[in-house]
Amino acid sequence: NAGVTQTPKFQVLKTGQSMTLQCAQDMNHNSMYWYRQDPGMGLRLIYYSASEGTTDKGEVPNGYNVSRLNKREFSLRLESAAPSQTSVYFCATLTGVPYEQYFGPGTRLTVT
Amino acid sequence: GQQVMQIPQYQHVQEGEDFTTYCNSSTTLSNIQWYKQRPGGHPVFLIQLVKSGEVKKQKRLTFQFGEAKKNSSLHITATQTTDVGTYFCAGPGGGFKTIFGAGTRLFVKA
C-alpha cells in the first residue's frame, strides 16, 4: 500500500501561473484534507472533503480551489499563483478510531 | 474561534537532557493527538489521548491529558539525536476538521 501520494514533489511557478497539486490515497478513507505549512505557522487547513462529493473551506481557502474527483483523489488548484502561496502543501486523510490524520510526503512550492 | 496554543516554539537541549512541550486549548477537547515531523518530512501520528487525566507512555515519551481536557503535554526523557524534529499537538476542530498547534521544534546537540 502506498498510503497517501502527492505529485509533484517540488514545483517552481511564476506569479500568475496556474497549477494543480494531485493527491491520491489507497486506504479507502472517506475524508481528505489539504494543508499548507509555513515556518512557525504550523499546519493550516485550506480545504477538506468529508466524503466523496463534498468539499468545504478551511482556515485559509482564498486563492485555491479543490476537486474531489472520486474517493481516492483530491486535487488542489492554484488559478493564479502569488508569492504568498510559497509553502509546503500536505494532503492528508482521516483514519477511523483513533482519528489520526495520515499525511502524504508533501509538495514544496515556490512562487517567484 | 477555537485555538490550540503550543509552547515553547523552540527548544535546544543537550543529548541526554529531558524535554517537555505544552499544549493549551481555548475549549474543552474530546481528544488530543500528538504528531512528530522530522526535518524535511511529513507529520506522523504518535498517539491520541481521550480520557481526562490520561497518561500514556511510548518508551521515553510520556503523554498527559489534563483533568479539564484543555491542556496536554509531551515529555521526552533523556533525549537522543533521533528525537530531533517538530512536535505538534492537535485537537478536533468541529465536523471533520483538526486544529493543529504551531508546534515545538526540538534541537538536540550531541
Side-chain angles (χ1 to χ4, degrees):
Chain A
N1 287 351
V4 178
T5 57
Q6 292 184 237
T7 55
K9 286 186 169 54
F10 300 93
Q11 184 71 51
V12 178
L13 290 178
K14 294 186 176 178
T15 298
Q17 288 184 320
S18 62
M19 79 161 296
T20 300
L21 281 63
Q22 306 285 355
C23 175
Q25 55 111 352
D26 62 2
M27 297 177 291
N28 203 36
H29 293 159
N30 287 321
S31 301
M32 298 184 73
Y33 303 78
W34 277 105
Y35 292 92
R36 62 177 287 173
Q37 184 175 36
D38 303 300
M41 296 292 290
L43 293 152
R44 293 186 292 169
L45 182 64
I46 305 171
Y47 271 94
Y48 68 103
S49 171
S51 61
E52 185 179 356
T54 69
T55 60
D56 285 287
K57 295 178 180 178
E59 183 185 358
V60 287
N62 291 345
Y64 306 95
N65 285 300
V66 290
S67 295
R68 183 74 183 267
L69 303 170
N70 46 56
K71 190 171 186 178
R72 290 187 64 250
E73 299 172 286
F74 188 37
S75 62
L76 178 71
R77 183 160 178 84
L78 287 71
E79 290 291 351
S80 179
S84 61
Q85 293 179 305
T86 293
S87 189
V88 180
Y89 291 85
F90 289 103
C91 177
T93 66
L94 185 68
T95 71
V97 177
Y99 294 104
E100 70 172 271
Q101 299 257 250
Y102 195 93
F103 287 84
T107 294
R108 283 148 182 81
L109 176 67
T110 301
V111 183
T112 62
Chain B
Q2 182 183 354
Q3 287 188 322
V4 175
M5 309 299 291
Q6 201 171 343
I7 57 170
Q9 189 175 5
Y10 301 96
Q11 184 81 60
H12 292 258
V13 300
Q14 197 75 29
E15 189 174 25
E17 292 181 338
D18 292 356
F19 160 77
T20 304
T21 174
Y22 300 90
C23 184
N24 289 286
S25 170
S26 57
T27 60
T28 301
L29 300 170
S30 59
N31 69 80
I32 194 157
Q33 301 156 31
W34 286 93
Y35 294 78
K36 177 183 178 181
Q37 182 178 24
R38 295 182 187 275
H42 58 277
V44 175
F45 176 81
L46 293 176
I47 205 163
Q48 178 179 263
L49 305 173
V50 178
K51 299 177 183 176
S52 169
E54 189 170 14
V55 178
K56 286 189 176 181
K57 292 190 176 185
Q58 290 180 350
K59 296 183 181 178
R60 295 178 294 103
L61 277 61
T62 302
F63 303 85
Q64 292 188 318
F65 201 10
E67 294 290 341
K69 302 183 75 173
K70 295 181 73 173
N71 58 75
S72 181
S73 65
L74 159 59
H75 179 83
I76 302 178
T77 303
T79 54
Q80 299 175 358
T81 55
T82 54
D83 296 324
V84 163
T86 302
Y87 293 85
F88 294 96
C89 61
F96 291 85
K97 292 185 286 188
T98 301
I99 302 295
F100 284 83
T104 296
R105 187 163 183 185
L106 174 63
F107 299 88
V108 180
K109 186 175 181 181

